[in-house]
Amino acid sequence: MTHRVTTAVFPVAGMGTRFLPATKSIPKEILTLVDRPLIQYAIDEARAAGITEFIFVTSRGKSALEDYFDCAPELESVLKQKNKTELLELLEATNMESGAIAYVRQHQALGLGHAVWCARHLIGDKPFAVILPDDVITGEEPCLKQMVEAYAEIGGNMVAAMEVPADKASAYGILDVPSSVSRCLPVRGMVEKPAPGSAPSNLAIIGRYILTPQILRNLDGQQRGAGGEIQLTDAIALEIANSGNVFGYRFQGERFDCGSKAGYLQATVAFALSRPDLRDELEAYLHQILATRQAAQ
Ligand code: UTP
């Protein structure tokens, strides 16, 4: 089995209830960090990792995502006429090569595991990456690129892992791994949302995976697990039990949980502060409102 990864699955069929009412008509993945939709960051990360085949698992009401990656000829010709070269380049960078993205529908939101399983015929018999666009990760080297490089050496199945404070562990899936400073750790088990004080480590699973087709077979006939959903982590847990061929990869970078309102707002501020065209004005505004709030207390 090759350890080269060229296919990535983007499960974007969730209902995004935490962002209602916005997600009544806008897919969560179209929400922007400053001026780029979440899905654009995910695609850019995949491209930087050498991904050439992109599979979107979508659902009803997600057509804005398909339109976003289409050419926009009218807009392009207006920008050309007005000599807006920079904007034109910005726009062109979002176009995808014909046939690079394939779409498959998840007809019912039965869970992340089920969403990935819906892509099984498009994935075929090769290892594939899974990117959850609402986990946005910044860093010198894109997270998936770090993982693809490590994967080329060791193969198997790999999940991205991040250290979390002990009092936050119960919000995550936590890895049972030997204590080590190594970036890549063999996984002995996983505990979904452990009760306070019972987490086997401080390493939480984050939304980047590299998986073998065996995971898709594990998902065949998979029962609903936590939250009544067909869980991807259950299929990976089965793989740990059957082959032990699962690794946690401690990536370098900062992760923003853009699936939650607080995480999304933090990312918005962090991304805006990293932009030279916005930094000074925003920084001054943040200082001003903090000072006003402190004075009022
Ligand atoms: P979340 O757990 O964030 O669920 O899904 P959600 O529906 O997107 O959002 P909330 O919790 O209702 O606010 C994690 C990822 O799995 C995808 C989502 O689109 C998101 O990328 N997903 C989840 C599916 O594609 N299908 C599902 O049935 C469930």
Side-chain angles (χ1 to χ4, degrees), residues 11-19 28-29 57 62 106 108-112 115 132-134 229 259:
V12 289
M15 299 212 258
T17 53
R18 283 170 288 174
F19 280 92
K28 175 172 67 173
E29 300 74 18
V57 183
K62 299 274 181 167
Q106 185 189 25
Q108 256 184 299
L110 294 179
L112 175 59
L132 305 191
D134 45 11
E229 297 198 333

Coordinates of all heavy atoms in Angstrom, one line a residue, residues 11-19 28-29 57 62 106 108-112 115 132-134 229 259, ligand 1:
P11 N -16.0 16.7 4.8 CA -17.4 16.5 5.2 C -18.1 17.8 5.6 O -17.7 18.4 6.6 CB -17.3 15.6 6.5 CG -15.8 15.2 6.6 CD -15.1 16.3 5.9
V12 N -19.0 18.3 4.8 CA -19.6 19.6 5.0 C -21.2 19.4 5.0 O -21.9 20.3 4.6 CB -19.2 20.6 4.0 CG1 -17.7 21.0 4.2 CG2 -19.3 20.1 2.5
A13 N -21.6 18.3 5.5 CA -23.1 18.0 5.4 C -23.7 18.2 6.8 O -24.9 18.0 6.9 CB -23.3 16.6 4.9
G14 N -23.0 18.7 7.8 CA -23.6 18.9 9.1 C -24.6 20.0 9.1 O -24.6 20.8 8.1
M15 N -25.4 20.1 10.1 CA -26.5 21.1 10.1 C -26.0 22.5 10.6 O -26.7 23.5 10.4 CB -27.7 20.6 10.9 CG -28.2 19.3 10.2 SD -29.9 19.2 10.4 CE -30.0 18.0 11.7
G16 N -24.9 22.5 11.3 CA -24.4 23.8 11.8 C -25.3 24.5 12.8 O -25.5 25.7 12.7
T17 N -25.9 23.7 13.7 CA -27.0 24.3 14.5 C -26.5 25.4 15.5 O -27.2 26.2 15.9 CB -27.7 23.2 15.4 OG1 -26.7 22.5 16.1 CG2 -28.5 22.3 14.5
R18 N -25.2 25.3 15.8 CA -24.6 26.3 16.7 C -24.6 27.7 16.1 O -24.4 28.7 16.7 CB -23.2 25.9 17.2 CG -23.3 24.8 18.3 CD -22.0 24.2 18.6 NE -21.5 23.4 17.5 CZ -20.3 22.8 17.5 NH1 -19.4 23.1 18.4 NH2 -19.9 22.1 16.5
F19 N -24.7 27.7 14.8 CA -24.7 29.1 14.1 C -26.1 29.4 13.5 O -26.2 30.3 12.7 CB -23.7 29.1 13.0 CG -22.3 29.3 13.5 CD1 -21.5 28.3 13.9 CD2 -21.8 30.6 13.7 CE1 -20.2 28.5 14.4 CE2 -20.6 30.9 14.3 CZ -19.8 29.8 14.6
K28 N -22.3 26.6 7.0 CA -21.3 27.1 8.0 C -19.9 27.4 7.4 O -19.2 28.3 7.7 CB -21.2 26.0 9.1 CG -20.2 26.3 10.2 CD -20.3 25.3 11.3 CE -20.0 23.8 10.9 NZ -19.9 22.9 12.1
E29 N -19.6 26.5 6.4 CA -18.3 26.6 5.8 C -18.1 27.8 4.9 O -17.0 28.1 4.4 CB -18.0 25.3 5.0 CG -18.1 24.0 5.7 CD -19.5 23.6 6.1 OE1 -20.5 24.1 5.5 OE2 -19.6 22.7 7.1
V57 N -18.5 16.1 0.9 CA -19.7 15.4 1.2 C -20.7 16.5 1.7 O -20.5 17.1 2.7 CB -19.5 14.4 2.4 CG1 -20.8 13.6 2.7 CG2 -18.4 13.4 2.0
K62 N -26.6 23.3 0.5 CA -25.2 23.6 0.5 C -24.7 24.1 -0.9 O -23.5 24.1 -1.1 CB -24.4 22.4 1.0 CG -24.7 21.9 2.4 CD -23.9 22.7 3.4 CE -24.3 22.2 4.8 NZ -23.3 22.6 5.8
Q106 N -24.8 13.4 1.4 CA -25.2 12.6 2.6 C -26.7 13.0 2.8 O -27.0 14.1 3.0 CB -24.4 13.0 3.8 CG -24.7 12.2 5.0 CD -24.1 12.7 6.3 OE1 -23.8 13.9 6.4 NE2 -23.9 11.8 7.2
Q108 N -28.9 12.1 4.9 CA -29.4 12.4 6.3 C -28.2 12.6 7.1 O -27.2 11.9 7.0 CB -30.0 11.1 6.8 CG -31.5 11.1 6.9 CD -32.0 9.9 7.5 OE1 -31.8 8.8 7.0 NE2 -32.7 10.0 8.6
A109 N -28.2 13.6 8.0 CA -27.0 13.9 8.8 C -26.9 12.9 9.9 O -27.3 13.1 11.1 CB -27.2 15.3 9.4
L110 N -26.4 11.7 9.6 CA -26.3 10.6 10.5 C -24.9 10.6 11.3 O -24.7 9.7 12.0 CB -26.5 9.3 9.8 CG -27.8 9.0 9.2 CD1 -27.9 7.7 8.5 CD2 -28.9 9.1 10.3
G111 N -24.1 11.6 11.1 CA -22.9 11.7 11.8 C -21.6 11.8 10.9 O -21.7 11.4 9.7
L112 N -20.5 12.2 11.5 CA -19.3 12.3 10.7 C -18.8 11.0 10.0 O -18.4 11.0 8.9 CB -18.2 12.9 11.6 CG -16.8 13.0 11.0 CD1 -16.8 13.9 9.8 CD2 -15.8 13.6 12.0
A115 N -20.8 10.4 7.1 CA -20.5 11.3 6.0 C -19.3 10.8 5.2 O -19.3 10.8 4.0 CB -20.2 12.7 6.6
L132 N -11.8 18.6 8.5 CA -13.0 19.3 8.9 C -12.8 20.8 8.9 O -12.0 21.3 9.6 CB -13.3 18.9 10.4 CG -13.5 17.4 10.7 CD1 -14.1 17.2 12.1 CD2 -14.3 16.7 9.6
P133 N -13.5 21.5 7.9 CA -13.2 22.9 7.7 C -13.4 23.8 8.9 O -12.9 24.9 8.9 CB -14.1 23.3 6.5 CG -14.5 22.0 5.9 CD -14.5 21.0 7.0
D134 N -14.2 23.4 9.9 CA -14.4 24.3 11.0 C -13.3 24.2 12.0 O -13.3 25.1 12.9 CB -15.8 24.1 11.6 CG -16.2 22.6 11.9 OD1 -15.3 21.8 11.7 OD2 -17.4 22.4 12.2
E229 N -25.1 9.4 16.7 CA -24.5 9.5 15.4 C -23.5 8.4 15.1 O -23.0 7.8 16.0 CB -23.8 10.9 15.4 CG -24.7 12.1 15.6 CD -24.1 13.4 15.1 OE1 -22.8 13.5 15.1 OE2 -24.8 14.3 14.7
G259 N -16.3 26.0 14.7 CA -17.6 25.4 14.8 C -18.4 25.9 16.0 O -19.6 25.7 16.2
Ligands
UTP1 P1 -20.2 19.1 14.0 O1 -20.1 18.2 15.1 O2 -19.5 20.4 14.1 O3 -21.7 19.3 13.6 O4 -19.6 18.3 12.7 P2 -22.4 20.4 12.7 O5 -23.7 19.8 12.2 O6 -21.5 20.8 11.6 O7 -22.6 21.6 13.6 P3 -23.5 21.8 15.0 O8 -22.8 20.9 16.0 O9 -24.9 21.4 14.6 O10 -23.3 23.3 15.2 C1 -18.2 18.2 12.5 C2 -18.0 18.0 11.0 O11 -18.7 16.9 10.5 C3 -19.5 17.2 9.4 C4 -19.8 18.7 9.6 O12 -20.2 19.3 8.4 C5 -18.5 19.2 10.2 O13 -17.6 19.5 9.1 N1 -20.7 16.4 9.5 C6 -21.3 16.2 10.7 C7 -21.3 15.8 8.4 O14 -20.8 16.1 7.2 N2 -22.4 15.0 8.5 C8 -23.0 14.8 9.7 O15 -24.0 14.0 9.7 C9 -22.4 15.3 10.8

